[in-house]
Amino acid sequence: MVKAQASVEIERSPESVYRFIAEDFAQNYPRWSPEVKELKFATEGPLRVGSVGRQVRVDQGRRTESLFRITQMQPAARLTFESHSPSFLVDYRFVPNQDDGTQLTFTFELRRLDLMMRPFEKLIRRAVQDGARRTVQNLKRLIEAEQEPAAA
């Protein structure tokens, strides 16, 4: 398993950060993760536990397609996606801080490496960790630029 985690303080409320990430996911995900080339949901209506999506990504020149399902959705607290092919987990956690902001923690787990990719595991770990850091920085930049700060 390859696991990466990154956290960032965002100067917006957990509700605002959650809305940007979870409620507006279909619209905003390709913006904070430009590797996403296609994103579609098979489930109609607002996202909820059980919603199924399909994405096509190009990471470092490698194209992957995956089906994923929302497995946890707790307003202003947590959003989790899981996929079985390839096998991964993506988790966003939203924790309020003392300054009316949010500590966002992003976790990515690649649960299984193909046999032919195992010799490159160290490079993959580094790329995944770099991607996690880039994800939270992109989210911080977009959310703080577009979401109104909490009223004082």
Side-chain angles (χ1 to χ4, degrees):
M1 176 172 63
V2 174
K3 181 177 180 178
Q5 190 171 75
S7 294
V8 69
E9 295 288 328
I10 300 177
E11 296 177 11
R12 299 297 181 267
S13 69
E15 293 78 15
S16 182
V17 175
Y18 180 85
R19 183 172 39 259
F20 186 91
I21 294 173
E23 294 174 10
D24 298 332
F25 183 81
Q27 169 187 333
N28 290 330
Y29 176 47
R31 297 175 62 217
W32 78 73
S33 189
E35 301 84 5
V36 175
K37 303 305 177 192
E38 287 180 45
L39 176 66
K40 294 186 174 143
F41 279 90
T43 317
E44 302 254 344
L47 294 186
R48 60 193 175 281
V49 171
S51 291
V52 174
R54 177 187 161 274
Q55 70 175 344
V56 175
R57 296 177 56 100
V58 177
D59 293 280
Q60 304 205 356
R62 187 167 186 255
R63 182 185 185 280
T64 57
E65 182 177 328
S66 61
L67 291 175
F68 60 88
R69 177 181 307 275
I70 297 176
T71 57
Q72 292 188 60
M73 210 170 175
Q74 300 165 1
R78 190 170 189 185
L79 175 66
T80 308
F81 299 89
E82 293 187 57
S83 174
H84 296 292
S85 180
S87 183
F88 66 79
L89 174 132
V90 174
D91 186 56
Y92 299 86
R93 292 189 186 231
F94 311 82
V95 177
N97 66 23
Q98 64 274 17
D99 299 323
D100 294 324
T102 304
Q103 178 180 341
L104 173 66
T105 300
F106 170 78
T107 304
F108 177 81
E109 294 178 6
L110 184 57
R111 294 180 164 165
R112 199 172 30 247
L113 279 180
D114 292 338
L115 186 60
M116 62 187 223
M117 297 305 285
R118 288 189 186 150
F120 307 103
E121 184 171 349
K122 189 173 181 180
L123 291 172
I124 292 168
R125 282 185 191 284
R126 189 172 316 131
V128 168
Q129 185 61 50
D130 288 348
R133 280 193 287 269
R134 199 168 38 255
T135 294
V136 297
Q137 289 305 316
N138 287 348
L139 282 162
K140 176 180 176 64
R141 178 180 47 79
L142 287 166
I143 292 168
E144 288 181 353
E146 297 177 16
Q147 303 295 309
E148 291 295 321

